[in-house]
Amino acid sequence: MSNQSDRSHHSWVQSHNPTNPELKLQQQSHKEPMFYYFAYGSCMCPVDLKRSLGESTHSYIIGPGILKNYRLGFYSYSPTRHCGVLDVLPDPSASVKGVLYQLPWRLSAYLDKREGVSESFYRRETVDIHCQNQVYTSARTYIVVNKLTEELAPNDWYFNVVLRGAVTCGLPEEYCWNLFDHMYKLQQRHQQQQIMRAAEKPLLPLSPSIKSQK
């Protein structure tokens, strides 16, 4: 990957231990109803997910998962994050890697609220997730309802949260770097567009008072 030295302002490249398989949720005893949830964006980071759900989610992680026949894209603008945010789009030639959780059903409404379901920002989608040589059917993920026509860059905060979750939860290194590179290029394109717009902006005419002083 080129220009890695120019990307040092993103602090995600650290040594993290992936989730210990011995601590998987299947080995814990739960008496309440549960549901599977596949996260591919900022919710891959359990620390960020905790903000919305109100409790630690580390113990609910099953492990890295794969959503087949979809691809990632930044085709939505988040008014709360003030930047482009991730979405998944059908693509038979692609796949999306993320984190599979098994969450208590009592957290379902909080997750819907985080994803803006009532405002038709994201909607629930039922998918099959491949994880640890198993297929988890009827898993929940969220898909953007009204997609943009082209991708919109994330800001630095969202950039780092997504990658922190991907690295912490043990997604493959190559996938993490590809995700890094994709977001970095979107940011670079956004900066170039801003420079071009500023250059094309016409100069304001001098006011009469300024002209009279010449």
Side-chain angles (χ1 to χ4, degrees), residues 78-94:
S78 170
T80 57
R81 301 182 188 272
H82 307 291
C83 68
V85 292
L86 278 167
D87 181 24
V88 290
L89 302 86
D91 185 339
S93 64

Side-chain angles (χ1 to χ4, degrees), residues 9-11 83 153-162 164 187 191:
H9 65 291
H10 294 295
S11 59
C83 68
N155 58 25
D156 284 352
W157 184 87
Y158 189 81
F159 190 121
N160 285 313
V161 168
V162 169
R164 187 182 307 123
Q187 287 188 335
Q191 292 175 7

Side-chain angles (χ1 to χ4, degrees), residues 32-71:
E32 58 185 322
M34 309 289 285
F35 68 98
Y36 294 116
Y37 165 55
F38 178 72
Y40 56 83
S42 60
C43 287
M44 289 191 295
C45 177
V47 176
D48 193 61
L49 186 57
K50 179 182 178 181
R51 293 189 306 105
S52 302
L53 303 188
E55 63 181 78
S56 175
T57 57
H58 283 85
S59 64
Y60 299 128
I61 295 174
I62 295 177
I66 301 175
L67 172 62
K68 295 185 176 181
N69 301 318
Y70 284 85
R71 63 179 172 87

